[in-house]
Amino acid sequence: MPVILATDALIFLVVAVALGYGAYAAQHEHLRAPWRRVARSPVAVATLVVIAFYVVIGLLDSMHFHPRIEPMATAEAPPEPPVLPIDADDQTGTASTRAKYSTQVLSLLDVILSDLRERQEKTFSAPFATHLFVKEPMEQPDGSILRGYPPLEHGGTHLADPSRRGFDIAVRTLLGVIKGLLLWMALTAALVWLVAHARGQHYDAAARTMWRGRTDVPWRVALITLAVMLCTSFAAAELAAGYHILGTDKVGEDVFYQSLKSIRTGLVIGTLTTLVMLPAAVILGIMAGYFRGLTDDMIQYLYTTLNSIPGVLLIAAAILMLQVYMTNNAEAFASLVERADLRLLFLCIILGVTSWTGLCRLLRGESLKLREQDYVQAALSLGVGHGTIIARHILPNVLHIVMITVVLDFSGLVLAEAVLSYVNIGVDPTMNSWGNMINGARLELAREPIVWWSLAAAFLFMFTLVLAANLLADVVRDAFDPRLARVG
């Protein structure tokens, strides 16, 4: 049974807005030209491929549902967990015809990663290990007790001889790379056919042109990056089928699974906060610069006052108030997932409230300048309404500032989630996030030997996303900034 969480609905709203903006930009040359320059940048194309992998994982993790409970085959079934009785056919059907659904909330990503999710160990284990990381009492065949490293219940159990682990890892890696290359070759062939069909070229000629880098879009860079990502993904999938490739945490959960599940949280923080921030920043910034006078003074007073409040203290106070509300109204939440989702949405709102002032200042300054342009003054002299002037003359000419700010702020918001979760005022502790992984790993750094893999995994996934977003932001800024465009 499908479940639509609040953040799920907003995520797909963001996707719809992005598609709508793409359709709008395709019809206006002043927006189409900058995006054409972005598409011709090898750095931008490579980073877009990397970000696309993150986005696909995030969208798969945003499609939630209640799993169906299959009826027991035996006559005397054990007690069932709490269920949601849903009539599959009609409301008058008998109990035997009604489908029953668990209160547990899963996502499509959980289904794809079901092996990783269900293969839980007892406690810590290092990457690619076959035994636990800590010693435990082990009963010997003669009945004596000896402290040692017990073998894992899932990781490496397929090995008949643990000494051949290195060879097995190499074989699985090679198999994953081959699978990735096969899929890459199929995708490359389809892309070459599309380009050849669009250009009216022969297939071989289009393939040579693309590989030699003689096209406007750097397809060679895109295909090389795609090959690296596909080979890495398939190799990781093959290795994860037999090992915990990034180890396990204190409760034995796979760290690789946690890292993949944390992608959605980072993307939600980076995108939904923007959705909250943009309306206030765009409307108030343009109003302040266009109308000036008392309107400008009131808006300036508003964002100056808001900036005087320390953002961390405001976020902490809001999260604590929400925590009190959720504790006093626990019956309002059907599952822990809905409870954690509300806190995530509330965090996005608070971050949006505290981060719109910078963009508002920029738009105010640009609107003050645009208001004095000859075409705006001519429109005012002809009696054109203020709303029409703002929609046709002011807003289209400040969209480049909005785009640059949105892309630049994304990576900062992803890092902000990690910092806030580290100090326990971020997302719910039950939700997978890179900040929670870092927070949970900080105490383990004092162990001897050090449990380093949770921190390293969170750093690796977050670093890759933030680096790609920053590189793309640089290209977008250069493409949309009119001053840089004139210099180029």
Side-chain angles (χ1 to χ4, degrees):
M1 184 177 67
V3 176
I4 301 179
L5 302 176
T7 54
D8 294 342
L10 291 175
I11 285 173
F12 289 103
L13 176 61
V14 170
V15 173
V17 170
L19 293 176
Y21 171 78
Y24 176 81
Q27 299 174 1
H28 296 80
E29 179 60 27
H30 73 284
L31 293 175
R32 186 167 62 246
W35 282 116
R36 193 182 298 118
R37 289 194 290 270
V38 172
R40 291 173 179 173
S41 169
V43 174
V45 170
T47 55
L48 282 173
V49 173
V50 175
I51 293 174
F53 275 77
Y54 278 83
V55 171
V56 169
I57 294 175
L59 291 178
L60 288 175
D61 203 19
S62 299
M63 301 177 185
H64 293 93
F65 63 94
H66 287 299
R68 181 171 180 172
I69 298 178
E70 299 297 334
M72 301 293 292
T74 58
E76 294 183 0
E80 296 180 351
V83 298
L84 299 175
I86 303 297
D87 194 342
D89 300 319
D90 54 21
Q91 297 296 328
T92 61
T94 61
S96 60
T97 62
R98 294 178 182 174
K100 292 184 177 180
Y101 297 88
S102 172
T103 55
Q104 185 182 20
V105 179
L106 299 179
S107 67
L108 291 183
L109 185 65
D110 289 323
V111 176
I112 296 173
L113 304 177
S114 57
D115 289 341
L116 292 179
R117 180 170 58 89
E118 296 170 357
R119 294 190 315 163
Q120 190 164 342
E121 305 293 347
K122 191 173 182 180
T123 184
F124 292 113
S125 66
F128 296 101
T130 57
H131 292 72
L132 290 179
F133 190 69
V134 296
K135 289 184 176 182
E136 291 186 356
M138 300 173 57
E139 185 176 356
Q140 303 301 308
D142 59 359
S144 61
I145 302 298
L146 180 66
R147 289 184 61 83
Y149 298 98
L152 298 179
E153 297 181 6
H154 304 284
T157 55
H158 62 285
L159 294 173
D161 182 8
S163 62
R164 295 181 59 83
R165 181 180 57 176
F167 176 76
D168 182 69
I169 291 175
V171 170
R172 287 174 176 267
T173 303
L174 180 61
L175 180 60
V177 170
I178 292 174
K179 289 182 178 180
L181 287 177
L182 290 176
L183 178 58
W184 175 78
M185 291 172 63
L187 294 176
T188 301
L191 178 62
V192 173
W193 182 86
L194 290 175
V195 173
H197 181 73
R199 291 173 170 265
Q201 290 180 310
H202 191 268
Y203 182 89
D204 294 338
R208 286 194 298 268
T209 302
M210 292 173 60
W211 188 249
R212 292 173 181 175
R214 296 177 180 175
T215 56
D216 293 336
V217 178
W219 291 116
R220 181 175 61 181
V221 175
L223 291 174
I224 292 175
T225 307
L226 180 62
V228 173
M229 295 299 296
L230 286 176
C231 291
T232 303
S233 301
F234 276 87
E238 287 293 330
L239 291 170
Y243 303 93
H244 300 289
I245 61 175
L246 294 178
T248 56
D249 63 0
K250 188 174 184 179
V251 297
E253 193 174 43
D254 192 275
V255 174
F256 184 49
Y257 170 76
Q258 292 179 349
S259 302
L260 292 175
K261 290 284 290 182
S262 300
I263 290 177
R264 178 184 182 272
T265 304
L267 293 178
V268 167
I269 293 290
T271 55
L272 294 193
T273 302
T274 301
L275 188 66
V276 174
M277 172 191 70
L278 279 183
V282 172
I283 294 174
L284 296 180
I286 292 178
M287 286 178 59
Y290 179 80
F291 292 108
R292 300 183 297 185
L294 181 60
T295 302
D296 186 19
D297 293 339
M298 292 177 62
I299 294 175
Q300 284 194 73
Y301 178 80
L302 175 62
Y303 65 64
T304 302
T305 303
L306 188 59
N307 271 344
S308 66
I309 304 174
V312 175
L313 294 181
L314 183 61
I315 294 171
I319 292 297
L320 290 176
M321 288 190 296
L322 178 64
Q323 193 69 31
V324 171
Y325 167 79
M326 292 191 299
T327 302
N328 295 335
N329 300 272
E331 67 281 356
F333 305 97
S335 64
L336 291 177
V337 175
E338 294 183 9
R339 178 188 176 102
D341 186 73
L342 176 62
R343 178 163 173 171
L344 175 62
L345 177 60
F346 203 73
L347 180 62
C348 293
I349 294 174
I350 296 301
L351 286 173
V353 169
T354 57
S355 60
W356 64 270
T357 56
L359 178 58
C360 184
R361 278 199 180 102
L362 292 175
L363 295 180
R364 172 186 174 272
E366 189 70 13
S367 299
L368 283 171
K369 182 180 69 175
L370 291 173
R371 192 185 190 281
E372 303 303 324
Q373 296 296 319
D374 293 340
Y375 54 87
V376 175
Q377 295 298 320
L380 287 172
S381 300
L382 294 173
V384 179
H386 296 304
T388 303
I389 294 176
I390 291 176
R392 293 187 177 181
H393 299 302
I394 305 297
L395 182 59
N397 286 292
V398 298
L399 281 181
H400 67 280
I401 297 178
V402 175
M403 182 57 60
I404 293 171
T405 304
V406 167
V407 179
L408 287 174
D409 285 352
F410 175 82
S411 57
L413 293 170
V414 173
L415 295 175
E417 181 276 324
V419 174
L420 294 174
S421 296
Y422 179 76
V423 295
N424 292 320
I425 58 173
V427 300
D428 193 86
T430 61
M431 175 171 282
N432 289 299
S433 76
W434 295 317
N436 281 338
M437 290 177 64
I438 295 172
N439 187 32
R442 60 174 177 167
L443 298 178
E444 309 306 332
L445 296 177
R447 294 175 60 97
E448 182 60 38
I450 295 176
V451 179
W452 51 269
W453 44 88
S454 291
L455 181 64
F459 172 80
L460 175 64
F461 277 80
M462 185 165 55
F463 171 78
T464 304
L465 177 60
V466 172
L467 177 62
N470 284 339
L471 292 175
L472 179 62
D474 289 339
V475 177
V476 171
R477 180 194 60 199
D478 295 344
F480 276 84
D481 193 329
R483 293 167 298 179
L484 296 177
R486 293 194 198 100
V487 173

